[in-house]
């Protein structure tokens, strides 16, 4: 009898899962609450995959023994509730894809820094000559790639939403960078639920696996105390020496190889800031745990180019640096970015959709280094209340071009104009990428005028 599977959501993960399921002989049905793009409809039609959009047909979906849910759909969604109430197996695309891969997995999670660390780990493994693929929250879905072939290793960026859909997926190497309050609306506004979700990444690991985590993160070790972890532990630290793992002493990274410690001089690295040192250490430990040629892998540290919109230097005009950190969508991410540039006066562009932000975390770094705040959002009252008495100059606008022009007018040589919003982008922009692109366009226009 033919296996049958339904897929909720026709985004990248849903389409990828549908293509893989079809290739493996499943009867597949894709259901999208919104509208499916014409391009994706054409692809599904070409592969003979049944689909619906503009709503879910419960009577049809509830006949399937298993459903793959898009990570973006909350468990509180009515259709998801019905599926769960009926006892139907509900999984994530990565869980489904793992059934058809013999490759070993490096799974990387954390509230912040996931993408940078995932891309860096992938880059170092490629530089070491390993057969490696990249998937999860970056690039093409894992399932879609497996239609064309497997790899010996897969580096996956995984969110808590994806981990929630794991049943048997077992990483060979798991990396947990940090846990800070985020997405709590998906976890009954309970931080403990979010912590448990992240740490479920290690639940299937055995003593052949490796867990790498940031030692100074109180939420990680609070969660680990409640677990019986079988994997080999590697700690990373920016505050103290560690016995097995890596630590940063302020200028150099010391990382263990199993035969002692080696040193990385961070002055030559393209990544800057203490938070990025955590990312570098995590990636270094991950590739060593994966058995990469250490010398070849570490040479790749100096040739790495990070993804766009993450502490990205756009231009330097009249001695003023313009930095695009549009991916700084929460307070914790923005804290690390401000800290990375605090040796220079900062003109800070911030604001957007507030996710219940507590700006107290930023007070010290803002007080010491921000000379002007430009609020870019439809509602800037909370930002102005938090920093109005702390920052010498506060302005506001709802237009990116005007924000950049305001910054240019007050900037002096040696200053940094920093877009790091600490908020989501959906009030004025399509997403953080759109916001970052608008910033780049506005800066490039000034370059042209010059």
């Amino acid at each position: 009898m033919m296996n049958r599977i339904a897929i909720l959501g026709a985004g990248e993960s849903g389409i990828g899962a549908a293509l893989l399921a079809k290739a493996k002989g499943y009867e597949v049905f894709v259901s999208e609450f919104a509208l499916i793009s014409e391009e994706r409809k054409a692809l599904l039609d070409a592969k003979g995959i049944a689909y619906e959009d503009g709503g879910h047909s419960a009577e049809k979906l509830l006949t399937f023994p298993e459903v793959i849910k898009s990570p973006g759909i909350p468990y509180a969604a009515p259709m998801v509730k019905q599926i769960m109430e009926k006892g139907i197996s509900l999984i994530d695309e990565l869980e489904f894809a793992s059934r058809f891969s013999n490759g070993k997995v490096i799974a990387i999670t954390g509230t912040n820094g996931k993408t940078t660390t995932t891309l860096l780990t992938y880059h170092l493994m490629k530089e070491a000559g390993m057969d490696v693929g990249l998937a999860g929250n970056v690039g093409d879905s894992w399932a879609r790639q497996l239609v064309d072939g497997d790899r010996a290793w897969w580096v996956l960026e995984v969110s808590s939403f994806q981990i929630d859909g794991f049943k048997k997926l077992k990483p060979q190497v798991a990396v947990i960078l940090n846990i800070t309050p985020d997405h709590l609306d998906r976890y009954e506004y309970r931080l403990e639920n979010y912590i448990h979700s992240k740490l479920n990444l290690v639940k299937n690991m055995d003593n052949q696996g490796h867990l790498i985590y940031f030692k100074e993160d109180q939420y990680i070790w609070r969660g680990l105390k409640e677990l019986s972890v079988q994997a080999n532990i590697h700690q990373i630290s920016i505050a103290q020496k560690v016995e097995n793992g890596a630590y940063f002493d302020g200028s150099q990274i010391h990382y263990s190889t199993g035969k002692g410690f080696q040193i990385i001089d961070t002055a030559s690295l393209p990544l800057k800031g203490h938070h990025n040192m955590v990312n570098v250490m995590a990636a270094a430990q991950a590739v060593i745990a994966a058995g990469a040629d250490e010398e070849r892998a570490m040479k790749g540290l100096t040739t790495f180019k990070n993804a766009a919109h993450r502490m990205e230097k756009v231009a330097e005009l009249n001695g003023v640096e313009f930095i695009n950190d549009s991916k700084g969508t929460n307070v914790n991410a923005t804290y690390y970015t401000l800290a990375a540039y605090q040796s220079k006066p900062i003109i800070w562009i911030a604001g957007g959709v507030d996710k219940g932000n507590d700006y107290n975390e930023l007070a010290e770094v803002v007080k010491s280094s921000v000379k002007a705040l430009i609020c870019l959002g439809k509602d800037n009252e909370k930002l102005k209340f938090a920093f109005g008495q702390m920052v010498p100059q506060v302005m506001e606008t709802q237009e990116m071009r005007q924000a950049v022009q305001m910054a240019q007018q007050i900037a002096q040589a040696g200053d940094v104009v920093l877009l790091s919003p600490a908020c989501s982008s959906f009030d004025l922009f399509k997403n953080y990428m759109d916001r970052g692109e608008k910033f780049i366009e506005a800066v490039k226009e000034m370059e042209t005028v010059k």
Side-chain angles (χ1 to χ4, degrees):
M1 185 177 169
M2 180 182 282
N3 287 323
R4 303 171 68 242
I5 200 158
I7 296 164
L8 275 190
E12 173 58 33
S13 66
I15 294 294
L19 294 173
L20 179 61
K22 185 69 177 180
K24 298 300 180 182
Y26 281 71
E27 177 193 330
V28 187
F29 178 61
V30 177
S31 180
E32 170 59 67
F33 188 76
L35 295 178
I36 301 175
S37 71
E38 292 305 315
E39 182 185 3
R40 284 181 170 160
K41 282 183 177 179
L43 178 58
L44 293 171
D45 285 333
K47 297 295 183 181
I49 297 171
Y51 60 86
E52 66 177 354
D53 61 355
H56 301 306
S57 302
E59 65 279 4
K60 182 161 187 175
L61 285 166
L62 296 176
T63 68
F64 285 84
E66 190 162 49
V67 175
I68 298 170
K69 181 186 74 66
S70 162
I73 301 173
Y75 283 90
M79 190 66 247
V80 177
K81 280 185 170 180
Q82 287 187 64
I83 290 166
M84 289 165 54
E85 284 165 6
K86 198 168 179 193
I88 294 168
S89 173
L90 190 66
I91 62 170
D92 182 77
E93 170 254 328
L94 296 176
E95 173 70 22
F96 181 69
S98 71
R99 298 174 184 175
F100 304 99
S101 172
N102 292 316
K104 293 179 180 177
V105 168
I106 298 176
I108 298 168
T109 196
T111 309
N112 298 305
K114 291 188 296 292
T115 303
T116 298
T117 305
T118 302
L119 292 173
L120 179 57
T121 302
Y122 172 68
H123 175 72
L124 297 182
M125 291 180 78
K126 275 180 63 181
E127 290 295 295
M130 300 180 79
D131 178 30
V132 60
L134 174 72
N137 275 348
V138 288
D140 292 336
S141 65
W142 191 15
R144 186 192 286 255
Q145 293 183 65
L146 286 172
V147 174
D148 298 321
D150 203 359
R151 300 278 190 180
W153 283 90
W154 290 95
V155 183
L156 307 180
E157 177 190 334
V158 299
S159 69
S160 58
F161 301 161
Q162 289 164 315
I163 296 168
D164 290 338
F166 290 179
K167 297 284 193 294
K168 295 181 179 178
L169 195 157
K170 182 173 77 171
Q172 176 69 17
V173 181
V175 176
I176 307 176
L177 296 165
N178 48 63
I179 299 175
T180 60
D182 200 13
H183 303 301
L184 295 188
D185 53 327
R186 288 279 290 262
Y187 295 98
E188 301 173 342
Y189 293 93
R190 293 187 61 209
L191 180 58
E192 296 305 314
N193 292 350
Y194 181 54
I195 293 171
H196 290 152
S197 174
K198 287 288 190 192
L199 291 174
N200 271 337
L201 182 62
V202 306
K203 66 184 177 184
N204 296 324
M205 295 178 72
D206 56 29
N207 60 11
Q208 300 300 303
H210 301 267
L211 170 61
I212 299 160
Y213 71 90
F214 181 36
K215 186 175 183 179
E216 278 85 72
D217 193 295
Q218 58 172 321
Y219 297 128
I220 295 177
W221 54 254
R222 184 199 296 182
L224 286 176
K225 280 198 297 187
E226 299 174 17
L227 293 176
S228 173
V229 179
Q230 303 300 312
N232 298 284
I233 299 289
H234 309 258
Q235 296 175 326
I236 48 181
S237 173
I238 55 172
Q240 55 194 295
K241 291 181 179 180
V242 299
E243 289 182 18
N244 186 33
Y247 63 93
F248 176 55
D249 66 10
S251 61
Q252 294 179 318
I253 285 172
H254 305 253
Y255 66 94
S256 58
T257 63
K259 303 173 184 174
F261 279 82
Q262 297 290 336
I263 290 175
I264 299 167
D265 183 0
T266 59
S268 62
L269 301 183
L271 294 172
K272 304 298 179 188
H274 279 56
H275 66 301
N276 272 323
M277 297 308 101
V278 172
N279 300 338
V280 169
M281 290 189 285
Q285 286 298 291
V287 299
I288 289 167
D293 181 300
E294 179 205 334
E295 188 176 341
R296 289 174 67 187
M298 295 311 155
K299 281 181 180 175
L301 286 170
T302 57
T303 58
F304 175 66
K305 286 185 173 59
N306 201 1
H309 314 298
R310 293 161 174 81
M311 291 174 62
E312 174 186 19
K313 184 172 179 178
V314 177
E316 186 167 332
L317 304 174
N318 299 322
V320 178
E321 284 186 90
F322 288 80
I323 306 294
N324 168 26
D325 189 50
S326 184
K327 188 60 173 70
T329 58
N330 58 49
V331 168
N332 190 253
T334 291
Y335 169 82
Y336 284 116
T337 303
L338 286 168
Y341 292 97
Q342 67 180 340
S343 61
K344 299 180 179 182
I346 297 171
I347 299 168
W348 177 32
I349 302 173
V353 180
D354 186 290
K355 298 187 284 187
N357 290 351
D358 178 1
Y359 291 114
N360 287 329
E361 184 182 337
L362 301 178
E364 190 176 329
V365 69
V366 168
K367 199 180 294 182
S368 68
S369 57
V370 174
K371 66 181 266 187
L373 168 62
I374 300 171
C375 302
L376 178 65
K378 285 188 177 177
D379 182 0
N380 301 310
E381 293 311 305
K382 192 170 174 182
L383 265 177
K384 289 192 292 184
F385 179 78
F387 302 112
Q389 301 301 311
M390 197 179 296
V391 176
Q393 195 168 0
V394 178
M395 297 169 279
E396 62 181 315
T397 178
Q398 292 186 13
E399 226 269 318
M400 180 64 81
R401 182 182 282 105
Q402 188 176 26
V404 171
Q405 288 170 349
M406 286 175 168
Q408 185 196 30
Q409 286 164 10
I410 58 174
Q412 299 173 306
D415 289 357
V416 173
V417 175
L418 174 64
L419 170 69
S420 189
C423 297
S424 294
S425 55
F426 303 118
D427 56 343
L428 298 175
F429 307 95
K430 295 175 191 170
N431 48 44
Y432 79 84
M433 294 173 285
D434 179 45
R435 178 169 59 190
E437 291 300 332
K438 294 287 195 300
F439 178 77
I440 293 168
E441 286 169 17
V443 174
K444 296 297 184 187
E445 277 180 21
M446 292 194 311
E447 272 190 309
T448 306
V449 170
K450 276 184 72 351

